[in-house]
Amino acid sequence: VKLFYEGKAKRVYGTENLNEVEIEFKNSLTAFNALKKGEFDQKGAVNLSISEILFAQLEKAKIKTHFVRKISENRIRALQVQIIPLEVVVRNRIAGSLAKKMGLEEGGELPFPVVEFYYKSDELQDPFLNDDQIYALKLADQNEVSNLKKQVLEINKVLKPLFQNIGIALVDFKVEFGKTPAGEIILADEISPDCARLWDLKSGEKMDKDRFRRDLGQVKEMYEEVLRRLKTV
Ligand code: UDP
């Protein structure tokens, strides 16, 4: 198998089937555009399992994903797609960069889920883009942007109550979409504690990558706890 691409948390390999790739989930953990690096044993496997459960729930709700099947504890088969270079973020509560730029406390509920786009570029540190900037720079057209917004809000509608049911607040998350050779836009990449803020509803404890970003400890334990709870849904 040929290595197509290596990113911060994944490796993508070609397969005998031109329409499919194999994706390896690495144990590495990075933050602040890879300025901070770490890892933990089984991290790839835990994130893969979390993503697999969430993608299966999304598929049940008729949201298409690139997931085909699990190959081993840290590898999946996925549909080959062209990743759209936009990080699509949904926020249910104020946290992270939104809290920071507005000088607000983290935790406040937003009156409706807020969608934001960032240009996927480590070099440029994933700059925020508004809709007009996306069209003018031809990163996506109006139909594609409304498609992305619609899908990400659907995803939020499935995931927010799902996490609520296992005692977790889905504060915000980031997803990436890809285009199939037929031109369809489907959910790609992963959904895991690496790209979502997950807070325990009772204790308020963070159960996501902020534990690593902010040196809170018990990173592995919390990722494993998220998986343990998701296995009950
Ligand atoms: N996020 C991500 N990758 C990025 C930037 C953000 O997965 O490159 C996720 C992050 O984990 C959080 C959400 O997107 O769940 C919103 O992130 P925010 O804009 O608050 O940025 P942060 O301060 O977390 O980098």
Side-chain angles (χ1 to χ4, degrees):
V1 281
K2 207 175 107 209
L3 181 65
F4 274 177
Y5 166 84
E6 174 153 12
K8 286 170 289 179
K10 281 178 216 84
R11 290 190 186 94
V12 181
Y13 301 89
T15 71
E16 75 299 337
N17 181 340
L18 285 177
N19 296 317
E20 294 182 1
V21 292
E22 256 180 56
I23 302 177
E24 180 191 336
F25 287 60
K26 302 197 288 185
N27 288 338
S28 53
L29 209 54
T30 62
F32 313 117
N33 296 289
L35 281 177
K36 181 173 173 132
K37 291 191 173 87
E39 63 174 320
F40 67 79
D41 182 45
Q42 291 295 109
K43 188 247 175 186
V46 172
N47 273 5
L48 187 158
S49 297
I50 290 171
S51 248
E52 185 187 14
I53 293 169
L54 297 177
F55 279 18
Q57 293 291 326
L58 292 169
E59 294 270 4
K60 266 212 255 172
K62 303 276 176 257
I63 293 157
K64 290 189 183 161
T65 79
H66 72 153
F67 184 87
V68 176
R69 65 177 179 276
K70 186 169 174 173
I71 302 280
S72 71
E73 69 163 16
N74 61 357
R75 274 186 186 233
I76 62 165
R77 257 305 163 126
L79 296 177
Q80 146 106 74
V81 293
Q82 186 92 41
I83 294 288
I84 296 170
L86 294 173
E87 303 206 328
V88 186
V89 167
V90 181
R91 301 181 188 277
N92 294 306
R93 296 200 198 191
I94 296 168
S97 69
L98 179 60
K100 191 163 179 228
K101 77 174 167 185
M102 294 304 294
L104 295 168
E105 290 261 326
E106 290 194 303
E109 284 268 356
L110 291 160
F112 53 87
V114 171
V115 179
E116 296 172 2
F117 296 98
Y118 295 84
Y119 182 53
K120 203 172 134 65
S121 163
D122 282 339
E123 242 170 86
L124 303 171
Q125 298 163 49
D126 300 344
F128 173 87
L129 290 175
N130 77 4
D131 299 25
D132 266 355
Q133 290 172 325
I134 293 171
Y135 310 143
L137 300 174
K138 301 208 183 317
L139 297 170
D141 64 26
Q142 299 202 24
N143 281 330
E144 289 167 338
V145 168
S146 52
N147 179 327
L148 294 174
K149 281 189 188 170
K150 190 168 166 247
Q151 288 203 57
V152 88
L153 290 171
E154 282 295 316
I155 293 167
N156 188 52
K157 264 191 195 153
V158 175
L159 298 187
K160 198 182 161 198
L162 184 149
F163 277 109
Q164 178 87 23
N165 286 338
I166 54 169
I168 295 174
L170 178 60
V171 172
D172 58 30
F173 63 94
K174 180 271 301 181
V175 285
E176 294 180 22
F177 291 88
K179 234 186 220 179
T180 66
E184 197 175 9
I185 295 177
I186 63 173
L187 180 63
D189 194 44
E190 67 174 298
I191 304 180
S192 75
D194 270 6
C195 44
R197 285 197 168 87
L198 305 169
W199 294 356
D200 184 84
L201 278 171
K202 269 202 206 120
S203 66
E205 281 250 70
K206 298 186 195 317
M207 307 180 74
D208 56 63
K209 197 156 94 174
D210 276 343
R211 298 206 73 84
F212 169 70
R213 289 192 191 96
R214 304 179 189 185
D215 295 316
L216 301 175
Q218 297 209 298
V219 185
K220 181 178 199 226
E221 289 75 8
M222 285 299 187
Y223 277 50
E224 282 171 345
E225 175 61 14
V226 172
L227 175 57
R228 192 193 65 74
R229 291 194 204 178
L230 278 173
K231 282 181 173 165
T232 68
V233 304

